[in-house]
Amino acid sequence: MSSIPNTLKYASSHEWARDEGNGIYTVGITEHAQGLLGDMVFVELPDVGDSVTQGDDCAVAESVKAASDIYAPLSGEIVEVNEALADSPELVNSSPYEDGWMFKIKVSDTAELSALLDAAGYKNSIDE
């Protein structure tokens, strides 16, 4: 069974968002998603300064099985990317909620948080 931390918000497209305070959210993909994708070989991240819109693709995770778009769970500006993934994309597999985070976003509309799922809602969505 995949780990689904209660402290995060989830998009039905398998991204998670963690509130870091001051309107900044760290974003990555869930343990469930990385398990479906398999061993990561490359992660293409957005550029710092990019503006993203909730639901739009903004990154790509390439695994031995497939390439998969990563969608912005919230709208805003990319303020940081996880540079470690350039040399170690497998961090997405080994530590999806910690070292394998993808980018940080300065959220432009906190009302969008209501569209995200809590842990129980995300678990229900992947159990269906």
Side-chain angles (χ1 to χ4, degrees):
M1 179 61 216
S2 294
S3 157
I4 304 173
N6 286 322
T7 54
L8 306 176
K9 292 291 204 176
Y10 299 89
S12 56
S13 52
H14 308 294
E15 293 81 16
W16 56 261
R18 178 175 54 236
D19 186 353
E20 303 294 350
N22 297 322
I24 306 289
Y25 282 77
T26 299
V27 175
I29 64 170
T30 64
E31 185 175 326
H32 176 77
Q34 69 80 23
L36 292 174
L37 287 169
D39 295 337
M40 291 295 155
V41 294
F42 179 73
V43 180
E44 180 182 325
L45 298 171
D47 293 322
V48 171
D50 282 359
S51 289
V52 296
T53 301
Q54 185 178 44
D56 285 358
D57 59 318
C58 62
V60 177
E62 291 185 27
S63 71
V64 294
K65 291 182 185 176
S68 181
D69 288 332
I70 306 301
Y71 300 96
L74 299 161
S75 300
E77 179 185 348
I78 303 299
V79 295
E80 187 179 344
V81 296
N82 187 350
E83 303 285 355
L85 297 181
D87 294 325
S88 302
E90 68 278 2
L91 290 171
V92 173
N93 298 114
S94 62
S95 184
Y97 300 114
E98 296 299 331
D99 298 334
W101 64 274
M102 295 188 171
F103 56 88
K104 294 185 181 185
I105 188 168
K106 174 83 171 163
V107 175
S108 58
D109 183 2
T110 55
E112 291 178 346
L113 287 163
S114 65
L116 299 179
L117 304 167
D118 61 12
Y122 180 68
K123 181 181 185 313
N124 289 340
S125 79
I126 59 177
D127 285 347
E128 289 176 356

